Structures are given as structure tokens and as C-alpha cells.
Amino acid sequence: YLIECEGGSIYTGITVDVMARYAAHTSGKGARYTRSFRPVKLLTSIEFADKSAALKAEYQVKRLSPSEKRAFCRQNEYQG
């Protein structure tokens, strides 16, 4: 999943329950990063077959530039 945070940054993570994890981020109980840069909105969420595939995808997305991450999100728009 990718979350847009205050200041325009994008946080990337993996979880089995996106909405619960997003709620944790917005309540200040998520990652250290999202406690400093509060979440603004959930940009996208993609399901993978297993944790290994999700971790590999997360690694690749984290290597993208901010503009590439935004383009990725537009291609995989969240349907929640």
C-alpha cells in the first residue's frame, strides 16, 4: 500500500489488513515515519500471492522517485 503524507511524501508498506494498518497510521500508532508526517490519504493498495512477493514489490516501489511513485499509483488506483 502507498499513503500520501503531509508535505507530499509517499509512505510505502505491506500488511495483511490495509484498512486496519491505515487506521493505525492515522491514529499515530503506525510507523515512526507516519507519526512525524501524518497520513493524508491512501493512494493505492495491491494484493500479492504471498509475503515474499509483497516484500519484493515493496522494495521495487521504494526505489522509485516520488514522481514515479505517483505515476504507479495512478496506474493502480485504490478502489476502496
Side-chain angles (χ1 to χ4, degrees):
Y1 64 96
L2 285 86
I3 298 173
E4 182 173 0
C5 298
E6 291 177 343
S9 64
I10 299 175
Y11 176 82
T12 306
I14 68 167
T15 186
V16 294
D17 187 342
V18 174
M19 296 316 293
R21 187 68 176 145
Y22 182 70
H25 286 301
T26 58
S27 71
K29 304 224 185 282
R32 184 181 313 155
Y33 186 85
T34 57
R35 286 194 298 268
S36 298
F37 299 91
R38 305 293 291 185
V40 175
K41 68 178 177 177
L42 181 61
L43 295 174
T44 195
S45 172
I46 302 168
E47 286 190 33
F48 291 91
D50 54 42
K51 185 176 181 177
S52 176
L55 286 168
K56 288 175 186 173
E58 179 191 32
Y59 176 76
Q60 292 299 321
V61 169
K62 285 184 173 186
R63 297 183 68 189
L64 299 175
S65 70
S67 61
E68 290 170 328
K69 287 180 185 178
R70 291 185 188 286
F72 176 82
C73 290
R74 285 191 296 275
Q75 293 171 350
N76 299 282
E77 189 172 340
Y78 179 64
Q79 301 296 318

